[in-house]
Amino acid sequence: MRLGITPVFLDNDAEILTALRSALQEAAGQRVQFEQRRTYEEVTGMLLEGAIEAAWLCGYPFLQHRATLALMAVPLWHGKPMYQSYVIVREGDDAKSLADLRGGTHAFSDPNSNSGFLVTASDLALKGEKAEDFFRRTIFTYGHRNVVRAVADGLARSGSVDGYVWESLAALEPELAGRTRVVTRSEWLGFPPFCTRAGHLADPGVAALRKALLGLDRTEAGRHALGLLLLDGMTAGDVSLFDGIARRMRLLASLR
């Protein structure tokens, strides 16, 4: 089974990837091969073309291809299949809102990331602004940890980042996260899901992988992997979890 992932989320953490792959292989009774690519666009394209059987995506690309993708599982963070998008600045910056960041350099993670692009872009669209005009310069780091690094090191004044990743860094790498500060938090939105192609949930390999994902909290290896990810487990989820992202997609499309 080939599972697509991007550094946008896991940031190439070898220990986490090894633990997760071992747990899934043990539970699914089959070899699991991770296919890492730099962007959501690459991984989503591979999934749509059948080059991989499943992928850990984001709610944004999932909804972009809603007619051809199906949910397998949605991670649980603090007991909920939800997370937030944060806008961060360097510690010591006196910005109090997104409006205070006009004219600065802003770091996004990926153009197809909900928390790392869509939320901020749609917030600006609601005010009649475009990111490329509001900010003096925008950059894409292709990794949420890289967004935090860019802001902490002064390469960007502000950044859009996955709140789960920032909170995880605050717990695991406080010396990095502590050099940044959260300015705004979005509403709660559907957590990045595991997906497969529509009509393939019943395929034996996909079904076994889905069962393994949903049962991670019931095996020792699975609990170890979840612990490294700071997640509680997985739920089957429902498309309605991503209604908030869908609303933001419509808003951005209507105002551009």
Side-chain angles (χ1 to χ4, degrees):
M1 289 299 297
R2 298 163 297 180
L3 177 63
I5 55 175
T6 78
V8 172
F9 194 65
L10 292 172
D11 203 27
N12 295 313
D13 193 310
E15 182 183 6
I16 291 176
L17 295 177
T18 298
L20 181 59
R21 180 170 55 243
S22 296
L24 292 175
Q25 288 184 156
E26 176 184 309
Q30 59 187 334
R31 182 167 175 263
V32 176
Q33 177 178 313
F34 286 160
E35 294 286 349
Q36 284 188 274
R37 296 295 185 273
R38 184 167 178 256
T39 69
Y40 277 130
E41 183 178 19
E42 292 173 280
V43 172
T44 304
M46 291 176 68
L47 182 58
L48 294 172
E49 294 164 4
I52 53 178
E53 286 74 42
W56 196 351
L57 293 178
C58 172
Y60 189 13
F62 167 63
L63 291 179
Q64 287 173 322
H65 302 279
R66 176 67 191 94
T68 50
L69 294 179
L71 285 178
M72 293 177 68
V74 184
L76 296 171
W77 182 45
H78 295 314
K80 300 186 297 185
M82 311 288 282
Y83 78 134
Q84 294 171 290
S85 172
Y86 291 176
V87 170
I88 60 172
V89 294
R90 195 173 187 182
E91 181 61 28
D93 191 302
D94 61 2
K96 295 180 174 61
S97 69
L98 183 59
D100 296 330
L101 302 175
R102 179 186 294 276
T105 297
H106 189 84
F108 290 116
S109 68
D110 185 295
N112 292 298
S113 168
N114 170 58
S115 60
F117 177 73
L118 176 64
V119 168
T120 299
S122 56
D123 280 345
L124 289 173
L126 192 59
K127 301 176 186 298
E129 303 270 10
K130 293 182 179 180
E132 56 266 34
D133 298 326
F134 181 83
F135 299 111
R136 177 177 61 84
R137 180 171 176 249
T138 59
I139 60 174
F140 287 98
T141 69
Y142 296 99
H144 287 288
R145 187 181 284 159
N146 292 338
V147 170
V148 180
R149 287 180 182 135
V151 174
D153 293 340
L155 300 177
R157 182 189 179 186
S158 57
S160 297
V161 67
D162 181 317
Y164 154 71
V165 173
W166 191 90
E167 296 292 352
S168 296
L169 288 174
L172 302 173
E173 297 183 43
E175 71 287 350
L176 173 59
R179 290 192 285 134
T180 67
R181 178 176 64 83
V182 178
V183 175
T184 67
R185 293 173 170 83
S186 73
E187 74 276 28
W188 289 93
L189 299 161
F191 204 95
F194 287 83
C195 305
T196 189
R197 283 175 292 158
H200 287 260
L201 283 173
D203 291 358
V206 173
L209 180 61
R210 182 171 187 256
K211 184 177 180 181
L213 286 166
L214 295 174
L216 279 176
D217 61 332
R218 296 193 290 273
T219 69
E220 183 177 348
R223 287 189 292 272
H224 174 63
L226 289 169
L228 292 174
L229 287 163
L230 300 184
L231 295 173
D232 302 316
M234 304 272 175
T235 182
D238 184 84
V239 177
S240 62
L241 283 172
F242 306 95
D243 285 351
I245 298 176
R247 283 193 293 271
R248 286 184 172 274
M249 290 172 65
R250 291 193 297 269
L251 173 64
L252 186 60
S254 67
L255 297 179
R256 281 204 155 188

